[in-house]
């Protein structure tokens, strides 16, 4: 994430404000880290559970149980495990998160760590955590309304990933088309984010049901 981008400014504000509150803040800047978004055989250290037929989901599950996931995944899982709140800051690309962030989800939130077949949604393995998706858009709020409520886009991200793993979800924070508004409006957006962060811990999670997204 470029530090001089609008997303970079939102990240900086979050770090400063939460630190001011006494929180311990850890940042994973995936671009700066050159995080590998591809889910491959390299994510498993050592032998495979079944070398005859490679199944990424099965292999990472088995590797997690053996303590044999790659170093970068272990480090990211440690950050998640220690966190009370996960904030995902990103620009919306083609109605979705950037590929590098989706790759983080694919590789880090493996079975055994984030969920198990009998432990999903409210019973997910990360149910003691909160999450918040903070993102910018290229189009205005009016343009997004043409395709329906922007909440539709959040279903696979918030519900299909976070809620599936048991993580509670706070109301998303959306900054519409910051590059197409006045400097004054951008300052207002940044001020609104600062203000929200001041009372973030008092917020109640959304009702993680289809009705929240598709009502």
């Amino acid at each position: 994430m470029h530090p001089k981008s609008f997303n970079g400014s939102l990240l900086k504000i979050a770090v400063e404000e939460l630190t001011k509150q006494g929180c311990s803040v850890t940042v994973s800047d995936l671009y700066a880290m050159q995080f590998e978004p591809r889910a491959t055989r390299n994510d498993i250290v050592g032998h495979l559970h079944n070398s005859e037929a490679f199944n990424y989901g099965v292999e990472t599950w088995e590797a997690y149980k053996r303590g044999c996931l790659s170093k970068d995944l272990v480090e990211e899982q440690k950050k998640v495990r220690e966190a009370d709140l996960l904030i995902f800051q990103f620009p919306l690309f083609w109605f979705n998160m950037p590929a590098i962030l989706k790759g983080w989800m694919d590789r880090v939130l493996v079975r055994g760590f984030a969920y198990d077949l009998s432990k999903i949604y409210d019973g997910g393995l990360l149910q003691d955590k909160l999450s918040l998706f903070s993102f910018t858009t290229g189009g205005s709020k009016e343009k997004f309304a043409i395709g329906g409520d922007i909440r539709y886009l959040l279903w696979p991200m918030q519900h299909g990933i976070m809620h599936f793993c048991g993580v509670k979800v706070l109301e998303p924070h959306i900054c519409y088309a910051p590059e197409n508004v006045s400097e004054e409006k951008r300052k207002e957006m940044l001020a609104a984010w600062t203000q929200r962060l001041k009372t973030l811990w008092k917020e109640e999670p959304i009702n993680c049901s289809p009705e929240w997204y598709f009502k």
Side-chain angles (χ1 to χ4, degrees):
M1 183 183 300
H2 197 286
K4 292 187 177 180
S5 67
F6 195 79
N7 275 276
S9 296
L10 292 166
L11 168 63
K12 184 172 182 286
I13 286 171
V15 172
E16 290 177 352
E17 179 55 39
L18 291 172
T19 300
K20 194 185 302 180
Q21 294 175 23
C23 300
S24 174
V25 181
T26 302
V27 176
S28 285
D29 185 334
L30 301 184
Y31 288 102
M33 293 161 58
Q34 296 187 321
F35 184 82
E36 170 59 75
R38 296 171 298 179
T40 70
R41 164 69 176 86
N42 294 334
D43 293 346
I44 298 100
V45 177
H47 69 84
L48 293 176
H49 177 69
N50 182 354
S51 59
E52 300 300 315
F54 183 75
N55 180 310
Y56 184 83
V58 171
E59 293 297 341
T60 50
W61 177 41
E62 293 293 338
Y64 176 76
K65 290 189 288 185
R66 298 196 310 270
C68 292
L69 288 174
S70 60
K71 182 182 177 183
D72 60 337
L73 299 190
V74 172
E75 290 174 351
E76 291 306 297
Q77 288 177 347
K78 181 175 184 290
K79 294 174 188 176
V80 173
R81 190 178 291 112
E82 293 175 350
D84 297 310
L85 169 66
L86 303 169
I87 298 179
F88 298 98
Q89 183 65 60
F90 59 94
L92 196 70
F93 288 168
W94 287 111
F95 284 25
N96 211 328
M97 64 182 75
I100 196 168
L101 179 53
K102 180 56 166 60
W104 185 94
M105 303 283 184
D106 292 344
R107 296 182 62 225
V108 175
L109 303 178
V110 301
R111 181 179 174 186
F113 170 69
Y115 71 94
D116 210 331
L117 296 187
S118 62
K119 296 177 180 178
I120 57 176
Y121 294 112
D122 290 341
L125 298 177
L126 302 179
Q127 58 188 284
D128 60 332
K129 305 185 185 304
L130 290 169
S131 65
L132 191 162
F133 285 81
S134 172
F135 60 93
T136 60
T137 70
S140 65
K141 189 172 185 178
E142 292 71 28
K143 286 183 178 177
F144 270 90
I146 295 171
D149 197 313
I150 199 168
R151 290 185 178 192
Y152 301 166
L153 313 182
L154 295 167
W155 172 258
M157 294 185 253
Q158 294 186 163
H159 184 81
I161 301 176
M162 288 295 106
H163 186 208
F164 185 87
C165 297
V167 182
K168 296 177 179 64
V169 180
L170 296 176
E171 190 85 23
H173 195 86
I174 308 170
C175 291
Y176 287 96
E179 73 275 22
N180 295 328
V181 299
S182 65
E183 181 63 25
E184 183 181 356
K185 183 63 178 174
R186 282 193 289 273
K187 288 180 179 178
E188 288 177 7
M189 289 180 177
L190 296 175
W193 178 227
T194 303
Q195 195 57 42
R196 183 179 178 190
L197 288 164
K198 291 182 186 298
T199 57
L200 196 65
W201 298 105
K202 296 179 181 179
E203 292 187 17
E204 289 293 324
I206 66 168
N207 174 22
C208 286
S209 66
E211 289 73 28
W212 188 88
Y213 297 91
F214 305 110
K215 63 183 178 181

